[in-house]
Amino acid sequence: KAGVTQTPRYLIKTRGQQVTLSCSPISGHRSVSWYQQTPGQGLQFLFEYFSETQRNKGNFPGRFSGRQFSNSRSEMNVSTLELGDSALYLCASSLAPFPEGIHGYTFGSGTRLTVV
Amino acid sequence: AQSVTQLDSQVPVFEEAPVELRCNYSSSVSVYLFWYVQYPNQGLQLLLKYLSGSTLVKGINGFEAEFNKSQTSFHLRKPSVHISDTAEYFCAVTTGAGNNRKLIWGLGTSLAVNP
């Protein structure tokens, strides 16, 4: 079966712009979680969606937002980009929401965002 | 605060040598523990997990880990590494209970296998 698909793979944006990243989960998975990965901070949890509802949110400013569609695909948006937003953004899908779903997390390859 | 500490940020090792990647956590409640691997330019892949039962857990690619509750550790081991094991390894722990349960990640250990 197809894995978790994240698009685009690479993105370069200018400070102040906004960006939208996409994540298509494994077929049948209804939970999508988003993470920001940087060398200094490691993996930081952004938010989790299950059945189109945000179930949990990490400690990120309101510039970071997300949504999930009825087909379980998810998007995250970052507005007013800052240099510090440069990171690898990963999404993970699972059948069930956290914590039950953690047993079966499948990660995508990520979107590498560079803000210049 | 609950935390996960991967004691070594980088581990260089020669091919066919044994390796141990260390992970300690702080939590006063029951936990689930995970090791993930990230190859260059890829996402994270689950290596193994401890949920309950035997404290020695075997995973993919010949890796195993042992849960030590008294030492709050979950070290990852492989008796003989290959060049292809070069990657970033992450330890993760679920802590708390019920609605307060959280997934905490270590900062990663970069394993470099040299010929």
Side-chain angles (χ1 to χ4, degrees):
Chain A
K1 57 182 178 182
V4 178
T5 303
Q6 290 190 246
T7 57
R9 286 296 308 274
Y10 302 93
L11 209 48
I12 299 176
K13 290 287 188 179
T14 305
R15 272 183 301 175
Q17 286 187 311
Q18 75 160 14
V19 67
T20 298
L21 312 181
S22 177
C23 173
S24 293
I26 288 176
S27 179
H29 284 193
R30 293 165 60 196
S31 174
V32 173
S33 298
W34 287 91
Y35 288 86
Q36 181 194 67
Q37 184 181 21
T38 58
Q41 299 293 320
L43 281 96
Q44 301 286 312
F45 171 71
L46 281 156
F47 25 66
E48 180 194 22
Y49 287 87
F50 180 75
S51 294
E52 302 178 66
T53 301
Q54 187 180 89
R55 286 179 55 90
N56 209 346
K57 192 176 188 303
N59 297 323
F60 278 82
R63 300 185 297 107
F64 291 81
S65 63
R67 59 178 175 169
Q68 187 179 34
F69 302 95
S70 58
N71 63 356
S72 295
R73 188 178 71 86
S74 177
E75 288 181 348
M76 67 162 282
N77 184 77
V78 188
S79 62
T80 321
L81 283 166
E82 301 176 0
L83 295 179
D85 297 332
S86 294
L88 180 65
Y89 290 87
L90 294 166
C91 81
S93 78
S94 60
L95 282 168
F98 184 83
E100 292 79 18
I102 181 60
H103 306 163
Y105 266 15
T106 301
F107 282 83
S109 297
T111 293
R112 173 78 60 186
L113 171 65
T114 303
V115 182
V116 298
Chain B
Q2 295 152 340
S3 65
V4 175
T5 303
Q6 291 185 240
L7 294 150
D8 306 294
S9 59
Q10 295 183 355
V11 173
V13 65
F14 288 109
E15 193 174 17
E16 297 183 5
V19 71
E20 178 180 80
L21 306 183
R22 297 178 293 168
C23 174
N24 285 89
Y25 65 92
S26 65
S27 176
S28 58
V29 298
S30 61
V31 296
Y32 299 151
L33 303 120
F34 307 84
W35 275 99
Y36 280 82
V37 60
Q38 185 177 33
Y39 298 104
N41 299 314
Q42 294 188 28
L44 279 75
Q45 179 182 1
L46 180 66
L47 269 178
L48 48 79
K49 60 187 175 186
Y50 171 81
L51 306 179
S52 64
S54 172
T55 57
L56 183 62
V57 181
K58 294 190 182 298
I60 62 172
N61 301 341
F63 284 93
E64 65 179 32
E66 185 155 19
F67 170 50
N68 189 320
K69 187 174 181 179
S70 63
Q71 297 189 6
T72 59
S73 68
F74 191 54
H75 300 334
L76 181 70
R77 302 186 185 100
K78 186 169 182 177
S80 176
V81 294
H82 303 290
I83 298 287
S84 59
D85 292 323
T86 295
E88 192 85 12
Y89 291 80
F90 293 92
C91 179
V93 179
T94 59
T95 64
N99 291 333
N100 293 322
R101 180 159 282 180
K102 296 181 180 181
L103 180 62
I104 310 294
W105 294 83
L107 291 180
T109 296
S110 179
L111 176 65
V113 182
N114 301 301

